[in-house]
Amino acid sequence: MSAPAFRDLFIWEWRHVGRSPLLWSIVFVLLASFTWGAATTAFKHDQQTAALERARADDQALIANIAERAVAYRAKITEDAGQVAYWQDPTNVAGYSEYFVRRHALKPHLPLSPLATGVSDLAPSRLEIKLNTPFGFNDTYDFENPRGLALGRFDFAFAVVVLLPIGLLLLCALLITFERDRGMLRLVAAQAVGPRRWIGARMAAILAWFIPAVLLAQVVALAIAGVPLGEVAAPLGVSLVLTLLYICFWSGIALFVLARQPTAGAALGMFGAIWALLIIGLPMAVSALVATFDPPPSAIEYVDAQRRVRDEIDAQRDALLTHALGARPDLAAHVHRATSLDYATRLSFLVPEIERRLSPQRVAMEHHRVRQERVALATGFLLPTLGTESSFAALAGTDPERQRRFEQAAREYQQQLRACVYPLVQAEITRPPTPPIRETRGRLNLPEPLDLPEFGMTERSNAERIRNVLPFALWLTLVAAVISIAGWRRADQWQVT
Amino acid sequence: MTALQLDSVSISFGPLHAVADLSIQLRPGEVYALLGPNGAGKTTTLNMILGFLRPERGSIAVAGVDALTDPLGARARIGYLPETVMLHPTLSAIENLTYFALLAGRKIDVTTARRLLDEAGLQSSAHERHSGSFSKGMRQKVGVAIALAKQANLLLLDEPTSGLDASAANDLSNVIRTASSRGIAVLMATHDLFRVKDVAHRLGILRSGQLVEERDAATLDPVALEQLYLQRLAS
């Protein structure tokens, strides 16, 4: 007589596990969680997409309004028409530069965005770009993601990273410890089967049901959330592989604990401790360490620095403008006009000076942000829970790195606009300060509104996005394999005495 | 070939010598009763034979297979009946039997399962019932069927009649006799002197891990057996 074949044992276990109400209850709860998480994220992203459309429509309406105003300002005026302020005049290049150059930088959501909320509920996906806003846009939101290393909102990624392990561990703990808790383990152990084959067959049977059910639930949840599955086949496939590897990681932990055949209570206690450590304890500890050893630059200090620099600039305004005109060969002959420049023209010289003086603080903030991203990346490798969530966000396009590139693109876009408009504004210094042509209301030094460039952001391709998460996927494969092998080796003898 | 060979087997738990220098030999078909009070080392002996505990000294062979170097091979030749048989409550007697037979490396069909359950004395009407509703005696019978399904060379019975009514205990005695007649050796650890006299060929008395008496059961009547047992425990 020989030991039972693994295949025969697996088939019996597979049939038996498939009849377990516990399995289907857990799968149903996970399906509901996945669907809720993906649908709420999709709902939020739909609202954001609608806001992007409104911003786009606002831009078009402003352009149309400027064109309409320009026509009115070019028209002959009536006898009783009075003067108009220059900032209302789109044919005055200075007023146009300050009050009519306004565009939105938009970051559209990717089709797979319901996979993870990422930073999309914290960082804006539309930024208003004006010429003279220091550093591109008003960063009135929190740059730091306070949940980058913590739990996050109840989205699909949360359901996978946090809830899925609970379901899997519960299933393994209750189904694999059943014989011990029922007092059957001695009878099992007295047969011609070793603990590795017995536990392995049951674990394989659980996973043979659990993995397809969970992956199917993932696809169904994303489909319900409106993800066009055909369009995102490749990243969706990678997200399924990540979920599979994440299940393997936790099943490896389950195997490691259950290899010593504990009671259900002991196994659940151990699983609870491991879960809390990996999901809550270690991320919080890393977060605390990072905050202690590399605290973010103070936002209050930055606001104070902005106020201080603006006060300095105001105090030194005339001197700065005189120096700026004198330093430019094309404007040096007009230094005497430095004190009589209009507000918008002054800003074209002073705002770059404000940015120059604030740049140390700004660079420090940017560097801290990049360091945080690196720490988060490294922590993702140490803690597969965080790594999996980050990888989902990267595939969904809601990751901090894409947000940072969007903000960089917004800043570059502002520089592009300045390159178009500032030379025209500053060229007016060389011309005589003629009063408005009396036949029209307009200044007419900008006869037609400028055809300004549109905002553009270079998006990473799906292939690049996938390439970015591959190192983590490979690492997770390795970690899952090592833990599973360790668990397998640990199940070397029956614990029945 | 002997069905079971224990040579100078010893094991300690810290300062406690649980089993000391124990040697027992069972021929095929022989029924051996291991008597002794609680803590005498009976279950520890069974655990060592089953490979659940590794002796510090000595050797154990089951039907010629070294239980220390090949515990799985040895277990494949052992049918084991624990003191309290617990079964999958949501499975029927037949399904339980099929499962445990599978664990023993044997695939049996429903007909074979019914025959084995009949041999073990489980009434036919219980074959398809979920074992969650079974009494201890009925579960014990399924346990016997599991042991028989294995077609083992050696049956290990741990307090097999504990908690059974007289009828169920008698059924078990019949099963032991049948097994013996088929050449299966039986080692039973028990307190039940009456049952020992009824079915055993030989008996050994364990005290504090040592075999202090070994007798041919036929040479003792029940009263003499009881006196010998009490005498050996007292001395």
Side-chain angles (χ1 to χ4, degrees), chain A residues 26 38 110 135 178 188 227 250 271 306 337 460 467 473:
Chain A
I26 287 172
L110 301 180
F135 302 109
F178 181 82
V188 170
V227 172
W250 281 103
F271 286 153
Q306 280 180 308
R337 293 196 58 193
R460 289 200 161 150
R467 251 201 310 279

Side-chain angles (χ1 to χ4, degrees), chain B residues 81-205:
Chain B
L81 187 69
E83 181 178 351
T84 304
V85 174
M86 296 303 295
L87 302 167
H88 280 283
T90 56
L91 299 185
S92 69
I94 289 176
E95 287 172 321
N96 267 296
L97 177 54
T98 309
Y99 174 58
F100 280 99
L102 180 65
L103 292 181
R106 277 177 52 80
K107 286 198 243 183
I108 59 170
D109 55 24
V110 175
T111 313
T112 310
R114 283 188 186 285
R115 180 178 58 74
L116 289 167
L117 290 169
D118 285 337
E119 277 182 33
L122 187 73
Q123 60 213 47
S124 301
S125 60
H127 289 187
E128 308 273 6
R129 267 170 46 201
H130 282 185
S131 67
S133 63
F134 283 8
S135 67
K136 182 177 181 188
M138 292 167 81
R139 291 201 307 273
Q140 209 77 348
K141 285 171 182 172
V142 178
V144 169
I146 290 168
L148 294 176
K150 212 167 173 181
Q151 295 182 337
N153 302 78
L154 171 68
L155 275 184
L156 293 184
L157 312 181
D158 192 359
E159 306 288 0
T161 55
S162 163
L164 295 187
D165 61 30
S167 167
N170 188 54
D171 287 347
L172 187 68
S173 293
N174 289 336
V175 169
I176 293 170
R177 281 192 209 96
T178 307
S180 170
S181 68
R182 289 179 186 168
I184 301 170
V186 179
L187 175 65
M188 53 193 284
T190 183
H191 300 281
D192 188 347
L193 298 183
F194 174 75
R195 201 60 54 191
V196 168
K197 181 70 192 100
D198 187 31
V199 296
H201 300 127
R202 271 197 303 151
L203 60 90
I205 299 174

Side-chain angles (χ1 to χ4, degrees), chain A residues 86-122:
Chain A
Y86 81 100
W87 50 267
Q88 292 177 337
D89 177 6
T91 70
N92 183 331
V93 70
Y96 175 83
S97 73
E98 172 61 3
Y99 301 108
F100 293 102
V101 176
R102 196 195 74 193
R103 293 284 192 278
H104 280 96
L106 305 176
K107 186 187 80 165
H109 286 298
L110 301 180
L112 193 55
S113 69
L115 189 67
T117 300
V119 297
S120 67
D121 61 339
L122 295 166

Side-chain angles (χ1 to χ4, degrees), chain A residues 86 94 97-99 131-133 310 313-314 317 321 341-354 418 422 425-426:
Chain A
Y86 81 100
S97 73
E98 172 61 3
Y99 301 108
L131 273 195
N132 296 319
T133 308
R310 281 182 190 281
I313 296 277
D314 276 350
R317 188 185 75 188
L321 290 169
L341 294 176
D342 61 60
Y343 177 64
T345 307
R346 286 202 308 265
L347 287 182
S348 70
F349 292 101
L350 298 180
V351 170
E353 178 63 16
I354 291 173
R418 282 182 183 175
Y422 273 1
V425 173
Q426 292 170 356

